[in-house]
Amino acid sequence: MLKRKSYKKWTLCFLFIFAAVTASVMAINYAVDPMWCFNHETPYAEWREFIDERQQKTNLLRFRDFKIDTLIMGSSRVMAMDTALWGPCGFNFGVSSCMAFELPILMDIFYKTKGYYPNHVILGIDFFAAATAYGDGSKNNKSKSVQLSLKSSRFISKLESLSSIELCRKSINLIIKNLENDIHYADVKYSSGHMDAHAFYPPVNDINVKKKIFTETYFGCKKTYSFFAFDNNYKDNLKYISKLSDTTKVTPIILPEATPHLRLIAEIPNRLCDYEKMLRETVEVFGGVWNFMYVNSVTSEQALWRESSHCLSVVNTWIRDRVTGIGTPPEDFGVYVTKDNIDIHIKTVREQILSLVNQTDSWSVFLDTVTDDVYN
């Protein structure tokens, strides 16, 4: 009898502790909402980190009932683009390392969560997005698992987020981050009542820190370009976006890359031909494309970039200005390429890129200090 009472007491004690821990985890996760499943203010976690931006942004689409007119799509290079640049009721669906083969799935996610297509799609296109593999060499579509998650009920999805101990740890870290005002690159200022989710890309003022970040980015790009293989389905993936509905306007934009990356395209065999193929196929699909990826005053000026891959917010404003015909962007920044001018444009850009090998610009102070030996 004593053993039975002792066992019962132990069981009740265990259940109480389990319930208390579970309740605490769920309470913290609900209060902070690290995966963006709810819509309430969290003043002690105003700044957030991207844990899995594909899933987090999908959760915003799924669990917040806001009308979206303008959708921004693309890689990390558009993740800092403020939707307000393009008008009200926008959503930034940019995700890191977004490949062209992800676009149909991401758009399917949007349609399944909202039940309609947006009126306007700002499609940011990267050169590397035309490849068959991500920068780490993997080929498995990163958006497929998020697409599959939509098959779970809304209740189950929220319950999984609430009960995760790992997410609870991240929630506590987010509270500490905000209390210490420890805001970093690519963090997100988060609040309820809207759909904004663009990332914070601050400038790097310490030249030595900037050189270090540049070195990592430059050699990461060099590695990616070395095994780049053009995706034969690139054009078909763009066609899916171009034919969403009769009411959807798509504005394709080939995003700028700084001249150090353009040098790599000139130096690595076949990359310049791949760049030209990407440009031609994009024009074939959309009839025209705004191209910012060539040698100009913006791509040549390091002060306008955090590092050679991600520009500062003023450049995004200039992109908007050039595309919409407002404002005063630099005169040489942005060319609308069509079938009528593509041949001369490609000829001009090829000459510019090839001549970079014998030229210097503001990036030279970074290029002069990096070598393969130093990096390795």
Side-chain angles (χ1 to χ4, degrees), residues 19-212:
V21 171
T22 301
S24 298
V25 167
M26 295 181 73
I28 293 171
N29 281 338
Y30 176 76
V32 177
D33 188 20
M35 290 303 292
W36 309 355
C37 294
F38 302 95
N39 188 15
H40 56 258
E41 287 294 338
T42 308
Y44 38 83
E46 184 181 19
W47 284 94
R48 307 298 181 91
E49 297 173 350
F50 281 121
I51 300 169
D52 178 352
E53 68 272 20
R54 287 167 174 79
Q55 187 65 65
Q56 287 169 295
K57 291 191 174 186
T58 295
N59 288 344
L60 282 183
L61 292 171
R62 191 180 188 189
F63 300 125
R64 291 194 179 183
D65 188 20
F66 286 84
K67 173 66 177 178
I68 296 173
D69 290 327
T70 301
L71 186 69
I72 297 175
M73 301 183 73
S75 71
S76 60
R77 289 178 184 145
V78 304
M79 286 173 65
M81 191 175 286
D82 189 348
T83 57
L85 288 173
W86 303 94
C89 304
F91 182 66
N92 189 317
F93 206 13
V95 295
S96 61
S97 301
C98 182
M99 308 298 290
F101 56 69
E102 286 188 82
L103 294 175
I105 291 180
L106 290 172
M107 187 54 70
D108 180 66
I109 289 171
F110 180 90
Y111 184 80
K112 285 180 176 178
T113 53
K114 307 308 293 182
Y116 57 84
Y117 291 116
N119 293 327
H120 191 191
V121 175
I122 308 298
L123 181 61
I125 300 171
D126 294 285
F127 173 52
F128 78 85
T132 58
Y134 293 96
D136 59 4
S138 63
K139 296 185 178 182
N140 293 329
N141 194 314
K142 294 181 179 181
S143 294
K144 279 189 175 181
S145 61
V146 180
Q147 185 186 40
L148 291 173
S149 73
L150 297 179
K151 294 183 178 180
S152 298
S153 69
R154 293 163 63 94
F155 174 78
I156 294 297
S157 296
K158 289 184 176 182
L159 185 61
E160 289 176 346
S161 175
L162 288 174
S163 59
S164 170
I165 294 177
E166 176 61 22
L167 286 179
C168 182
R169 184 185 66 81
K170 293 182 182 297
S171 294
I172 293 171
N173 287 339
L174 284 175
I175 294 174
I176 295 172
K177 167 195 280 286
N178 281 266
L179 290 175
E180 297 179 349
N181 197 31
D182 186 22
I183 312 305
H184 295 288
Y185 163 71
D187 285 344
V188 183
K189 197 169 186 179
Y190 177 93
S191 63
S192 66
H194 60 79
M195 296 290 287
D196 193 20
H198 70 279
F200 176 56
Y201 284 9
V204 180
N205 297 318
D206 187 316
I207 190 66
N208 291 322
V209 173
K210 190 167 185 176
K211 284 181 178 180
K212 182 177 183 298

Side-chain angles (χ1 to χ4, degrees), residues 282-326:
T282 305
V283 170
E284 286 179 26
V285 172
F286 294 105
V289 62
W290 283 99
N291 186 21
F292 295 89
M293 184 185 168
Y294 58 93
V295 182
N296 54 60
S297 59
V298 173
T299 57
S300 301
E301 178 50 68
Q302 63 87 11
L304 296 172
W305 297 74
R306 183 179 182 274
E307 22 70 20
S308 50
S309 188
H310 298 94
C311 61
L312 301 183
S313 58
V314 65
V315 177
N316 288 326
T317 300
W318 288 337
I319 290 174
R320 186 281 313 268
D321 291 349
R322 177 64 70 212
V323 171
T324 60
I326 64 174

Side-chain angles (χ1 to χ4, degrees), residues 211-359:
K211 284 181 178 180
K212 182 177 183 298
I213 298 173
F214 167 82
T215 301
E216 294 171 352
T217 304
Y218 176 80
F219 282 100
C221 180
K222 185 174 184 178
K223 179 181 177 181
T224 299
Y225 284 176
S226 67
F227 63 75
F228 182 102
F230 197 92
D231 187 357
N232 292 329
N233 295 317
Y234 172 74
K235 190 159 59 173
D236 291 335
N237 290 318
L238 294 189
K239 283 181 179 179
Y240 184 94
I241 303 299
S242 71
K243 299 179 179 179
L244 292 176
S245 72
D246 294 337
T247 59
T248 299
K249 174 187 175 183
V250 180
T251 300
I253 299 169
I254 296 179
L255 300 167
E257 293 190 42
T259 52
H261 289 194
L262 300 179
R263 287 172 183 264
L264 291 175
I265 289 176
E267 294 169 1
I268 299 175
N270 300 319
R271 291 301 80 84
L272 188 52
C273 292
D274 288 329
Y275 164 82
E276 294 171 358
K277 184 177 182 181
M278 180 267 298
L279 185 56
R280 287 187 182 278
E281 291 197 357
T282 305
V283 170
E284 286 179 26
V285 172
F286 294 105
V289 62
W290 283 99
N291 186 21
F292 295 89
M293 184 185 168
Y294 58 93
V295 182
N296 54 60
S297 59
V298 173
T299 57
S300 301
E301 178 50 68
Q302 63 87 11
L304 296 172
W305 297 74
R306 183 179 182 274
E307 22 70 20
S308 50
S309 188
H310 298 94
C311 61
L312 301 183
S313 58
V314 65
V315 177
N316 288 326
T317 300
W318 288 337
I319 290 174
R320 186 281 313 268
D321 291 349
R322 177 64 70 212
V323 171
T324 60
I326 64 174
T328 55
E331 291 184 2
D332 65 341
F333 187 54
V335 176
Y336 189 65
V337 185
T338 67
K339 63 179 181 180
D340 294 328
N341 68 347
I342 190 169
D343 289 333
I344 186 64
H345 179 70
I346 283 179
K347 182 176 182 294
T348 301
V349 170
R350 171 178 277 270
E351 291 173 353
Q352 290 177 336
I353 292 177
L354 290 175
S355 65
L356 280 173
V357 179
N358 301 314
Q359 292 181 354

Side-chain angles (χ1 to χ4, degrees), residues 1-15:
M1 181 64 70
L2 289 175
K3 287 185 177 180
R4 185 174 297 175
K5 287 184 178 180
S6 178
Y7 177 77
K8 184 177 181 180
K9 183 179 180 180
W10 182 89
T11 301
L12 290 174
C13 183
F14 172 79
L15 291 175

